[in-house]
């Protein structure tokens, strides 16, 4: 069982930066691949970024490549999402998720993830 708690969301102007954190409970955190997803009002939840259990592999949605960076610190049971050059279209609730046996080619699929956090709101004003 893994519990995930996101933090770091808020209101920021376009072009600004935020860093989201996701703190995980449980001693098996380092065995899980981690992902960030987001959901804007009236839209489906979509993939943002993923990182393998070791941190050696990362993947990003095309819409955030070059602007967002996912990282993890297994000693702190935490995964991060550094978001730079934010745009109004990045406004959404951001969720972190954990996958125990992730098929890396499917890292962007919601169905691959076993545990989800409650989300943190990110609002980017124009």
């Amino acid at each position: 069982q893994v519990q995930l708690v996101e933090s770091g969301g808020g209101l920021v102007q376009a072009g600004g930066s935020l860093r989201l954190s996701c703190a995980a409970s449980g001693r098996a955190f380092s065995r899980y691949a981690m992902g960030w997803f987001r959901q804007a009002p009236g839209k489906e939840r979509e993939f943002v970024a993923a990182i393998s259990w070791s941190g050696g592999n990362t993947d990003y949605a095309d819409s955030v490549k070059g602007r967002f960076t996912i990282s993890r610190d297994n000693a702190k049971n935490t995964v991060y999402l550094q978001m730079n050059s934010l745009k109004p279209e990045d406004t959404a609730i951001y969720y972190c998720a954990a996958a125990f046996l992730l098929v890396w080619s499917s890292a962007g699929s919601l169905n691959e993830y076993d545990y989800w956090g409650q989300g943190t709101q990110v609002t980017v004003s124009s």
Side-chain angles (χ1 to χ4, degrees):
Q1 186 80 12
V2 176
Q3 292 185 330
L4 304 172
V5 179
E6 302 95 336
S7 62
L11 174 64
V12 64
Q13 288 188 335
S17 298
L18 282 174
R19 188 175 83 153
L20 305 183
S21 298
C22 173
S25 65
R27 288 178 286 181
F29 173 75
S30 62
R31 300 180 184 179
Y32 287 80
M34 300 296 295
W36 285 98
F37 292 77
R38 66 187 182 187
Q39 188 166 17
K43 295 188 177 181
E44 294 185 350
R45 194 170 298 189
E46 64 176 7
F47 171 71
V48 175
I51 189 166
S52 62
W53 65 270
S54 67
N57 290 310
T58 58
D59 192 18
Y60 297 91
D62 288 342
S63 59
V64 306
K65 280 181 181 176
R67 300 189 298 123
F68 290 11
T69 302
I70 189 171
S71 61
R72 66 189 297 161
D73 185 338
N74 286 344
K76 295 182 178 179
N77 280 15
T78 302
V79 62
Y80 305 98
L81 185 68
Q82 178 67 44
M83 306 186 295
N84 298 328
S85 302
L86 282 161
K87 304 175 182 180
E89 51 263 44
D90 295 318
T91 295
I93 299 174
Y94 283 70
Y95 299 89
C96 72
F100 184 57
L101 293 174
L102 179 66
V103 177
W104 191 249
S105 60
S106 299
S109 172
L110 278 72
N111 294 332
E112 288 290 316
Y113 293 83
D114 305 297
Y115 302 101
W116 293 82
Q118 293 300 307
T120 185
Q121 176 70 48
V122 171
T123 303
V124 184
S125 63
S126 57

